[in-house]
mmCIF file of all heavy atoms in Angstrom:
data_model
loop_
_atom_site.group_PDB
_atom_site.id
_atom_site.type_symbol
_atom_site.label_atom_id
_atom_site.label_comp_id
_atom_site.label_asym_id
_atom_site.label_seq_id
_atom_site.Cartn_x
_atom_site.Cartn_y
_atom_site.Cartn_z
ATOM 1 N N ILE A 27 -99.939 -42.773 149.693
ATOM 2 C CA ILE A 27 -98.614 -43.140 150.267
ATOM 3 C C ILE A 27 -98.008 -44.189 149.335
ATOM 4 O O ILE A 27 -98.622 -45.196 149.090
ATOM 5 C CB ILE A 27 -98.765 -43.726 151.653
ATOM 6 C CG1 ILE A 27 -99.540 -42.764 152.568
ATOM 7 C CG2 ILE A 27 -97.410 -44.102 152.226
ATOM 8 C CD1 ILE A 27 -98.855 -41.532 152.997
ATOM 9 N N PRO A 28 -96.806 -43.893 148.775
ATOM 10 C CA PRO A 28 -96.178 -44.792 147.826
ATOM 11 C C PRO A 28 -96.102 -46.218 148.398
ATOM 12 O O PRO A 28 -95.808 -46.448 149.564
ATOM 13 C CB PRO A 28 -94.756 -44.219 147.624
ATOM 14 C CG PRO A 28 -94.890 -42.744 147.980
ATOM 15 C CD PRO A 28 -95.966 -42.693 149.060
ATOM 16 N N PRO A 51 -98.460 -43.264 164.162
ATOM 17 C CA PRO A 51 -97.035 -43.402 164.279
ATOM 18 C C PRO A 51 -96.322 -42.630 163.104
ATOM 19 O O PRO A 51 -96.984 -42.211 162.186
ATOM 20 C CB PRO A 51 -96.772 -44.884 164.188
ATOM 21 C CG PRO A 51 -97.922 -45.382 163.436
ATOM 22 C CD PRO A 51 -99.092 -44.584 163.749
ATOM 23 N N ASN A 52 -94.991 -42.512 163.200
ATOM 24 C CA ASN A 52 -94.264 -41.955 162.096
ATOM 25 C C ASN A 52 -94.540 -42.615 160.801
ATOM 26 O O ASN A 52 -94.648 -43.853 160.756
ATOM 27 C CB ASN A 52 -92.702 -42.082 162.399
ATOM 28 C CG ASN A 52 -92.261 -41.258 163.571
ATOM 29 O OD1 ASN A 52 -91.404 -41.737 164.367
ATOM 30 N ND2 ASN A 52 -92.831 -40.115 163.786
ATOM 31 N N GLY A 53 -94.758 -41.848 159.799
ATOM 32 C CA GLY A 53 -94.938 -42.379 158.437
ATOM 33 C C GLY A 53 -96.359 -42.862 158.113
ATOM 34 O O GLY A 53 -96.623 -43.329 157.061
ATOM 35 N N ALA A 54 -97.290 -42.647 159.061
ATOM 36 C CA ALA A 54 -98.703 -43.156 158.846
ATOM 37 C C ALA A 54 -99.436 -42.275 157.784
ATOM 38 O O ALA A 54 -100.393 -42.758 157.238
ATOM 39 C CB ALA A 54 -99.469 -43.146 160.155
ATOM 40 N N GLY A 55 -98.941 -41.022 157.560
ATOM 41 C CA GLY A 55 -99.538 -40.216 156.540
ATOM 42 C C GLY A 55 -100.263 -38.985 157.078
ATOM 43 O O GLY A 55 -101.055 -38.379 156.391
ATOM 44 N N LYS A 56 -99.930 -38.573 158.323
ATOM 45 C CA LYS A 56 -100.594 -37.429 158.957
ATOM 46 C C LYS A 56 -100.338 -36.106 158.165
ATOM 47 O O LYS A 56 -101.218 -35.378 157.805
ATOM 48 C CB LYS A 56 -100.160 -37.268 160.374
ATOM 49 C CG LYS A 56 -100.403 -38.535 161.229
ATOM 50 C CD LYS A 56 -99.940 -38.343 162.677
ATOM 51 C CE LYS A 56 -98.493 -38.197 162.856
ATOM 52 N NZ LYS A 56 -97.620 -39.321 162.424
ATOM 53 N N THR A 57 -99.017 -35.898 157.931
ATOM 54 C CA THR A 57 -98.651 -34.703 157.166
ATOM 55 C C THR A 57 -99.207 -34.704 155.773
ATOM 56 O O THR A 57 -99.766 -33.683 155.290
ATOM 57 C CB THR A 57 -97.101 -34.538 157.115
ATOM 58 O OG1 THR A 57 -96.585 -34.384 158.466
ATOM 59 C CG2 THR A 57 -96.654 -33.354 156.308
ATOM 60 N N THR A 58 -99.124 -35.827 155.121
ATOM 61 C CA THR A 58 -99.661 -35.943 153.779
ATOM 62 C C THR A 58 -101.170 -35.599 153.797
ATOM 63 O O THR A 58 -101.676 -34.892 152.848
ATOM 64 C CB THR A 58 -99.452 -37.386 153.204
ATOM 65 O OG1 THR A 58 -98.043 -37.651 153.409
ATOM 66 C CG2 THR A 58 -99.745 -37.451 151.680
ATOM 67 N N ARG A 67 -101.746 -31.015 147.829
ATOM 68 C CA ARG A 67 -101.421 -32.340 147.268
ATOM 69 C C ARG A 67 -102.698 -33.017 146.849
ATOM 70 O O ARG A 67 -103.709 -32.892 147.491
ATOM 71 C CB ARG A 67 -100.746 -33.182 148.352
ATOM 72 C CG ARG A 67 -99.294 -33.587 148.078
ATOM 73 C CD ARG A 67 -98.673 -33.986 149.374
ATOM 74 N NE ARG A 67 -97.974 -35.204 149.156
ATOM 75 C CZ ARG A 67 -96.923 -35.607 149.827
ATOM 76 N NH1 ARG A 67 -96.469 -34.848 150.823
ATOM 77 N NH2 ARG A 67 -96.321 -36.770 149.592
ATOM 78 N N GLN A 98 -95.179 -28.313 159.477
ATOM 79 C CA GLN A 98 -94.289 -28.914 160.444
ATOM 80 C C GLN A 98 -92.835 -28.339 160.309
ATOM 81 O O GLN A 98 -92.220 -28.075 161.308
ATOM 82 C CB GLN A 98 -94.225 -30.476 160.174
ATOM 83 C CG GLN A 98 -93.448 -31.242 161.233
ATOM 84 C CD GLN A 98 -93.370 -32.692 160.874
ATOM 85 O OE1 GLN A 98 -92.467 -33.207 160.335
ATOM 86 N NE2 GLN A 98 -94.514 -33.396 161.205
ATOM 87 N N HIS A 211 -98.368 -35.561 168.256
ATOM 88 C CA HIS A 211 -97.616 -36.770 168.671
ATOM 89 C C HIS A 211 -97.922 -37.135 170.139
ATOM 90 O O HIS A 211 -97.733 -38.239 170.527
ATOM 91 C CB HIS A 211 -96.129 -36.624 168.443
ATOM 92 C CG HIS A 211 -95.708 -37.078 167.099
ATOM 93 N ND1 HIS A 211 -95.973 -38.347 166.590
ATOM 94 C CD2 HIS A 211 -95.095 -36.435 166.063
ATOM 95 C CE1 HIS A 211 -95.547 -38.458 165.415
ATOM 96 N NE2 HIS A 211 -94.999 -37.308 165.031
HETATM 97 N N1 ATP B 308 -92.505 -37.430 148.083
HETATM 98 C C1 ATP B 308 -92.488 -38.632 148.627
HETATM 99 N N2 ATP B 308 -91.889 -39.734 147.987
HETATM 100 C C2 ATP B 308 -91.878 -40.944 148.607
HETATM 101 N N3 ATP B 308 -92.444 -41.142 149.776
HETATM 102 C C3 ATP B 308 -93.047 -40.116 150.440
HETATM 103 C C4 ATP B 308 -93.126 -38.847 149.889
HETATM 104 N N4 ATP B 308 -93.736 -38.047 150.781
HETATM 105 C C5 ATP B 308 -94.040 -38.778 151.827
HETATM 106 N N5 ATP B 308 -93.627 -40.097 151.597
HETATM 107 C C6 ATP B 308 -93.768 -41.233 152.553
HETATM 108 O O1 ATP B 308 -95.136 -41.261 152.896
HETATM 109 C C7 ATP B 308 -95.240 -41.726 154.249
HETATM 110 C C8 ATP B 308 -96.129 -40.723 155.031
HETATM 111 O O2 ATP B 308 -95.422 -39.565 155.271
HETATM 112 P P1 ATP B 308 -95.969 -38.361 156.218
HETATM 113 O O3 ATP B 308 -95.011 -37.317 156.291
HETATM 114 O O4 ATP B 308 -97.393 -38.057 155.770
HETATM 115 O O5 ATP B 308 -96.086 -39.179 157.596
HETATM 116 P P2 ATP B 308 -96.407 -38.657 159.042
HETATM 117 O O6 ATP B 308 -97.529 -39.547 159.606
HETATM 118 O O7 ATP B 308 -96.695 -37.244 159.060
HETATM 119 O O8 ATP B 308 -95.080 -38.970 159.831
HETATM 120 P P3 ATP B 308 -94.288 -38.295 161.018
HETATM 121 O O9 ATP B 308 -95.011 -38.623 162.306
HETATM 122 O O10 ATP B 308 -92.929 -38.881 160.980
HETATM 123 O O11 ATP B 308 -94.295 -36.749 160.807
HETATM 124 C C9 ATP B 308 -93.841 -41.829 154.788
HETATM 125 O O12 ATP B 308 -93.482 -43.204 154.764
HETATM 126 C C10 ATP B 308 -93.035 -41.025 153.829
HETATM 127 O O13 ATP B 308 -91.678 -41.530 153.750
#
Side-chain angles (χ1 to χ4, degrees):
I27 304 291
N52 293 143
K56 303 179 296 298
T57 296
T58 310
R67 242 161 133 154
Q98 187 180 98
H211 270 303

